[in-house]
């Protein structure tokens, strides 16, 4: 029978129907995703700007003394500068909500059943979410790695708002206590670059933690291509006996103790073990650092806790390139699994709660990595990898459901 079978004749003028990965359906769903993600993001941004602007409104509006119009323009400009820092943290969750919203509308209109009935598989329906993840992954990385630090640099330079005044690199007079490999440093920082230490006191300790020396100076600068710092116009206190020879004339008694000495000096080099780049950004949160500075600090030796702070931030930035795509794919997959034919409230709340748990997990991993409770690579990539595992599991269950096996 098969030997005598004739090929199906092709009728002239008819176009062959093929499923295109980037066709009408993909463009239609992608536009719907983008529109609703924008609405969710704008709503969350309005709430975030209100909360952020309220306690510092008087600082922003009061800067402009030339009239109401200038004050309004100043507030609008400040809101634009604050937008990258506010949008970047919640953009992946906004993507999840926007995709779920679009998928719910897709189900309620009956379009999903129509699309599946024409032969498009659930896996092929993921193409709009993949494209959305690629587009907004680039947006997320650009906001968090480039626009956020740039906008904060402007705020610091112009002392705009509470953060701009707090992180202003030109301020002086603030005393810092800084641990170093050889002891403890009390100093004021002229951030530079290059940074200069002023009115410093360095408490030097031995391996057992005992105080062996106290160096006091008016200023200290790091020598080029060296780990030594040049102190000027200071004195050194030691708990030993008085030196012999001509130096004995410069000895000053320290307190009421007879076995301690203080020797003045004009210049003295001391190994403080401090990175000038790290000092120039001392007190700044990692999310405000430019990407090249962040990479350098993540590779430098500034202590285990400091390295974890910067390396975790760097890995989280890299993970943010795929996190929006993972959130979009997870939202689409869960919607196909639980909201394919109808949208019961219980299932809808459950899907949204899963998205919130993913958002919370990303922030929790960031905090644990920065505080040394989790390796930096795991902190940056655990949530995206776990989300892709959930996506795979969801489609495995969808295929079992379509074949009538159940789950």
């Amino acid at each position: 029978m098969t030997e005598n079978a004739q090929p199906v004749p092709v009728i002239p003028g008819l176009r062959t129907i093929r499923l295109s990965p980037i066709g009408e359906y993909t463009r239609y769903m992608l536009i719907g995703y983008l529109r609703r993600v924008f609405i969710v993001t704008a709503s969350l941004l309005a709430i975030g700007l209100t909360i952020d602007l309220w306690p510092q409104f008087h600082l922003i509006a009061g800067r402009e003394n030339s009239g109401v119009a200038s004050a309004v323009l100043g507030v609008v400009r400040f809101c634009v500068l604050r937008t990258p820092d506010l949008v970047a943290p919640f953009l992946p969750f906004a993507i999840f909500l926007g995709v779920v919203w679009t998928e719910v509308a897709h189900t309620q209109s009956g379009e999903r059943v129509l699309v599946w009935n024409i032969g498009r598989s659930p896996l092929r329906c993921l193409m709009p979410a993949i494209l959305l993840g690629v587009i907004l992954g680039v947006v997320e990385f650009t906001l968090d790695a480039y626009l956020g630090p740039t906008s904060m640099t402007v705020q610091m330079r112009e002392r705009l708002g509470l953060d701009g005044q707090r992180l202003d690199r030109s301020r002086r007079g603030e005393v810092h206590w800084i641990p170093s490999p050889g002891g403890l440093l009390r100093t004021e920082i002229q951030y530079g670059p290059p940074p200069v230490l002023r009115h410093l006191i360095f408490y030097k300790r031995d391996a057992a933690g005992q105080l062996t020396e106290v160096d006091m100076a008016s200023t200290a600068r790091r020598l080029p291509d060296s780990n030594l710092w040049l102190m000027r116009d200071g004195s050194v206190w030691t708990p030993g006996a008085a030196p012999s020879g001509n130096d004995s004339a410069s000895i000053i008694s320290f307190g009421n103790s007879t076995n301690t000495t203080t020797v003045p000096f004009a210049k003295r080099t001391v190994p403080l073990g401090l990175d000038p780049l790290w000092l120039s950004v001392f007190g700044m949160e990692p999310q405000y650092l430019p990407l090249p500075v962040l990479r350098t600090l993540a590779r430098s030796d500034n202590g285990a806790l400091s390295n974890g702070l910067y390396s975790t931030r760097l890995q989280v930035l890299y993970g943010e390139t795929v996190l929006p795509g993972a959130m979009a794919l997870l939202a689409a997959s869960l919607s196909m699994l639980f909201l394919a034919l109808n949208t019961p409230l219980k299932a809808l709340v459950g899907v949204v709660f899963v998205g919130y748990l993913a958002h919370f997990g990303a922030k929790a991993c960031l905090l644990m990595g920065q505080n040394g409770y989790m390796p930096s690579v795991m902190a940056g990539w655990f949530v995206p990898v776990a989300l892709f595992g959930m996506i795979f599991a969801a489609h495995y269950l969808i295929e079992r459901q379509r074949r009538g096996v159940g789950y």
Side-chain angles (χ1 to χ4, degrees):
M1 219 113 165
T2 56
E3 294 179 357
N4 298 326
Q6 298 296 324
V8 178
V10 177
I11 302 176
L14 292 182
R15 186 176 57 183
T16 303
I17 298 176
R18 297 186 179 90
L19 291 176
S20 174
I22 307 179
E24 291 291 336
Y25 171 82
T26 300
R27 293 195 295 269
Y28 172 75
M29 292 298 294
L30 180 60
I31 293 173
Y33 286 161
L34 290 171
R35 181 171 62 250
R36 290 178 173 87
V37 167
F38 176 79
I39 294 173
V40 174
T41 303
S43 301
L44 294 178
L45 177 61
I47 298 172
L49 280 175
T50 301
I51 297 173
D52 182 74
L53 187 61
W54 184 257
Q56 51 188 336
F57 182 80
H58 62 286
L59 298 176
I60 307 303
R63 290 172 59 92
E64 304 293 341
N65 300 320
S66 56
V68 177
S70 298
V72 171
L73 290 177
V75 172
V76 171
R77 178 172 178 268
F78 179 75
C79 291
V80 172
L81 290 173
R82 292 295 298 154
T83 295
D85 290 328
L86 295 176
V87 170
F90 64 72
L91 182 58
F93 186 52
I95 293 171
F96 186 92
L97 294 178
V99 172
V100 170
W101 183 6
T102 306
E103 293 291 340
V104 168
H106 192 52
T107 297
Q108 290 180 342
S109 65
E111 294 171 343
R112 186 187 308 280
V113 176
L114 176 63
V115 169
W116 284 4
N117 284 339
I118 64 175
R120 193 178 189 97
S121 66
L123 285 176
R124 297 290 294 274
C125 293
L126 291 180
M127 183 55 67
I130 294 174
L131 294 177
L132 179 73
V134 172
I135 295 171
L136 295 186
V138 174
V139 172
E140 169 77 357
F141 185 79
T142 303
L143 284 173
D144 217 6
Y146 295 102
L147 296 184
T150 301
S151 65
M152 183 51 65
T153 300
V154 175
Q155 295 172 58
M156 292 189 300
R157 184 175 64 246
E158 300 181 8
R159 296 178 56 85
L160 283 174
L162 296 175
D163 286 337
Q165 295 180 6
R166 176 177 62 87
L167 301 176
D168 176 28
R169 300 289 92 180
S170 64
R171 73 184 191 280
R172 297 184 185 180
E174 186 176 356
V175 177
H176 302 284
W177 290 87
I178 304 174
S180 72
L184 184 65
L185 180 66
R186 180 187 184 275
T187 184
E188 300 173 9
I189 304 175
Q190 181 180 331
Y191 295 97
V196 178
L197 304 179
R198 296 186 177 276
H199 309 296
L200 69 149
I201 304 176
F202 179 56
Y203 300 89
K204 187 176 181 180
R205 298 175 296 180
D206 57 16
Q210 298 296 322
L211 184 65
T212 60
E213 182 179 292
V214 178
D215 297 297
M216 296 164 281
S218 60
T219 62
R221 300 173 184 266
R222 185 175 176 178
L223 296 176
D225 302 324
S226 171
N227 194 33
L228 298 176
W229 288 72
L230 178 62
M231 294 184 176
R232 294 180 180 271
D233 302 327
S235 59
V236 54
W237 171 87
T238 56
S244 59
N246 296 331
D247 291 337
S248 59
S250 62
I251 296 174
I252 302 174
S253 63
F254 190 83
N256 296 324
S257 176
T258 58
N259 63 343
T260 62
T261 58
T262 302
V263 181
F265 62 82
K267 295 181 180 180
R268 177 181 171 85
T269 56
V270 176
L272 297 181
L274 298 176
D275 184 0
L277 179 61
W278 178 73
L279 280 176
S280 66
V281 299
F282 184 83
M284 291 181 61
E285 289 80 0
Q287 64 265 27
Y288 298 142
L289 300 181
L291 190 58
V293 175
L294 190 63
R295 285 173 175 157
T296 303
L297 291 176
R299 294 191 299 264
S300 62
D301 184 14
N302 297 309
L305 184 59
S306 178
N307 285 348
L309 188 70
Y310 299 121
S311 60
T312 298
R313 170 64 181 170
L314 186 63
Q315 292 299 325
V316 167
L317 278 178
Y318 292 155
E320 284 178 348
T321 58
V322 299
L323 182 60
M327 294 289 276
L329 287 171
L330 180 64
S333 301
L334 293 179
S335 299
M336 294 179 197
L337 181 61
F338 296 109
L339 308 172
L341 302 178
N342 50 48
T343 56
L345 180 61
K346 183 177 180 180
L348 179 59
V349 172
V351 169
V352 174
F353 183 68
V354 171
Y356 177 77
L357 286 181
H359 173 72
F360 174 80
K363 303 309 174 187
C365 288
L366 172 63
L367 292 176
M368 287 190 291
Q370 289 183 339
N371 289 279
Y373 297 106
M374 180 182 290
S376 58
V377 175
M378 180 180 292
W381 293 96
F382 176 77
V383 171
V385 172
L387 293 185
F388 282 113
M390 294 176 63
I391 294 165
F392 176 82
H395 279 274
Y396 173 76
L397 295 177
I398 290 173
E399 290 302 317
R400 287 175 60 90
Q401 185 183 36
R402 293 180 72 208
R403 289 177 171 84
V405 180
Y407 53 88

